[in-house]
mmCIF file of all heavy atoms in Angstrom:
data_model
loop_
_atom_site.group_PDB
_atom_site.id
_atom_site.type_symbol
_atom_site.label_atom_id
_atom_site.label_comp_id
_atom_site.label_asym_id
_atom_site.label_seq_id
_atom_site.Cartn_x
_atom_site.Cartn_y
_atom_site.Cartn_z
ATOM 1 N N ASP F 44 0.351 16.943 39.954
ATOM 2 C CA ASP F 44 1.164 17.578 41.013
ATOM 3 C C ASP F 44 1.176 16.704 42.203
ATOM 4 O O ASP F 44 0.101 16.096 42.600
ATOM 5 C CB ASP F 44 0.502 18.891 41.319
ATOM 6 C CG ASP F 44 1.404 19.829 42.126
ATOM 7 O OD1 ASP F 44 2.584 19.653 42.186
ATOM 8 O OD2 ASP F 44 0.867 20.762 42.766
ATOM 9 N N TYR F 45 2.336 16.518 42.826
ATOM 10 C CA TYR F 45 2.490 15.653 44.043
ATOM 11 C C TYR F 45 2.950 16.564 45.130
ATOM 12 O O TYR F 45 4.153 16.664 45.410
ATOM 13 C CB TYR F 45 3.480 14.528 43.756
ATOM 14 C CG TYR F 45 3.016 13.373 42.936
ATOM 15 C CD1 TYR F 45 2.797 13.511 41.629
ATOM 16 C CD2 TYR F 45 2.648 12.149 43.500
ATOM 17 C CE1 TYR F 45 2.364 12.474 40.781
ATOM 18 C CE2 TYR F 45 2.270 11.078 42.735
ATOM 19 C CZ TYR F 45 2.100 11.281 41.396
ATOM 20 O OH TYR F 45 1.645 10.248 40.614
ATOM 21 N N PRO F 46 2.121 17.350 45.783
ATOM 22 C CA PRO F 46 2.545 18.252 46.851
ATOM 23 C C PRO F 46 2.806 17.540 48.213
ATOM 24 O O PRO F 46 2.236 16.495 48.454
ATOM 25 C CB PRO F 46 1.373 19.200 47.014
ATOM 26 C CG PRO F 46 0.188 18.414 46.676
ATOM 27 C CD PRO F 46 0.658 17.456 45.572
ATOM 28 N N ASN F 47 3.685 18.105 49.018
ATOM 29 C CA ASN F 47 3.910 17.669 50.351
ATOM 30 C C ASN F 47 3.549 18.809 51.322
ATOM 31 O O ASN F 47 4.260 19.866 51.214
ATOM 32 C CB ASN F 47 5.377 17.202 50.526
ATOM 33 C CG ASN F 47 5.631 16.792 52.034
ATOM 34 O OD1 ASN F 47 6.244 17.565 52.729
ATOM 35 N ND2 ASN F 47 5.249 15.603 52.402
ATOM 36 N N ASP F 48 2.554 18.609 52.126
ATOM 37 C CA ASP F 48 2.101 19.669 52.962
ATOM 38 C C ASP F 48 3.075 20.130 53.981
ATOM 39 O O ASP F 48 3.280 21.356 54.246
ATOM 40 C CB ASP F 48 0.755 19.256 53.688
ATOM 41 C CG ASP F 48 -0.355 19.165 52.778
ATOM 42 O OD1 ASP F 48 -0.419 19.799 51.628
ATOM 43 O OD2 ASP F 48 -1.348 18.461 53.009
ATOM 44 N N ASP F 49 3.770 19.237 54.541
ATOM 45 C CA ASP F 49 4.781 19.567 55.634
ATOM 46 C C ASP F 49 5.950 20.463 55.139
ATOM 47 O O ASP F 49 6.227 21.353 55.798
ATOM 48 C CB ASP F 49 5.321 18.242 56.265
ATOM 49 C CG ASP F 49 6.214 18.535 57.407
ATOM 50 O OD1 ASP F 49 5.783 19.188 58.325
ATOM 51 O OD2 ASP F 49 7.385 18.012 57.386
ATOM 52 N N SER F 50 6.420 20.098 53.947
ATOM 53 C CA SER F 50 7.657 20.805 53.476
ATOM 54 C C SER F 50 7.326 21.967 52.521
ATOM 55 O O SER F 50 8.139 22.893 52.296
ATOM 56 C CB SER F 50 8.535 19.836 52.793
ATOM 57 O OG SER F 50 7.983 19.372 51.589
ATOM 58 N N GLY F 51 6.158 21.896 51.939
ATOM 59 C CA GLY F 51 5.813 22.924 50.920
ATOM 60 C C GLY F 51 6.434 22.594 49.516
ATOM 61 O O GLY F 51 6.265 23.217 48.595
ATOM 62 N N LEU F 52 7.143 21.413 49.437
ATOM 63 C CA LEU F 52 7.687 20.953 48.176
ATOM 64 C C LEU F 52 6.649 20.329 47.350
ATOM 65 O O LEU F 52 5.556 19.835 47.850
ATOM 66 C CB LEU F 52 8.717 19.897 48.479
ATOM 67 C CG LEU F 52 10.028 20.320 49.281
ATOM 68 C CD1 LEU F 52 10.916 19.154 49.567
ATOM 69 C CD2 LEU F 52 10.801 21.384 48.445
ATOM 70 N N SER F 53 6.868 20.319 46.015
ATOM 71 C CA SER F 53 5.950 19.831 45.130
ATOM 72 C C SER F 53 6.646 19.194 43.957
ATOM 73 O O SER F 53 7.583 19.797 43.411
ATOM 74 C CB SER F 53 4.926 20.825 44.609
ATOM 75 O OG SER F 53 3.947 20.403 43.693
ATOM 76 N N ALA F 54 6.212 17.980 43.518
ATOM 77 C CA ALA F 54 6.815 17.318 42.388
ATOM 78 C C ALA F 54 5.715 17.295 41.257
ATOM 79 O O ALA F 54 4.557 17.247 41.564
ATOM 80 C CB ALA F 54 7.254 15.913 42.672
ATOM 81 N N TYR F 55 6.198 17.287 40.052
ATOM 82 C CA TYR F 55 5.229 17.255 38.865
ATOM 83 C C TYR F 55 5.692 16.034 38.021
ATOM 84 O O TYR F 55 6.769 16.025 37.445
ATOM 85 C CB TYR F 55 5.400 18.587 38.100
ATOM 86 C CG TYR F 55 4.274 18.947 37.248
ATOM 87 C CD1 TYR F 55 2.969 19.014 37.762
ATOM 88 C CD2 TYR F 55 4.417 19.130 35.892
ATOM 89 C CE1 TYR F 55 1.878 19.365 36.951
ATOM 90 C CE2 TYR F 55 3.393 19.437 35.100
ATOM 91 C CZ TYR F 55 2.125 19.573 35.615
ATOM 92 O OH TYR F 55 1.042 19.916 34.838
ATOM 93 N N LEU F 56 4.857 15.007 37.969
ATOM 94 C CA LEU F 56 5.229 13.739 37.361
ATOM 95 C C LEU F 56 4.105 13.330 36.348
ATOM 96 O O LEU F 56 2.953 13.618 36.480
ATOM 97 C CB LEU F 56 5.365 12.621 38.415
ATOM 98 C CG LEU F 56 6.328 12.881 39.516
ATOM 99 C CD1 LEU F 56 6.335 11.693 40.520
ATOM 100 C CD2 LEU F 56 7.652 13.111 38.991
#
Side-chain angles (χ1 to χ4, degrees):
D44 194 20
Y45 287 73
N47 176 260
D48 290 340
D49 184 55
S50 68
L52 296 172
S53 180
Y55 202 58
L56 304 177

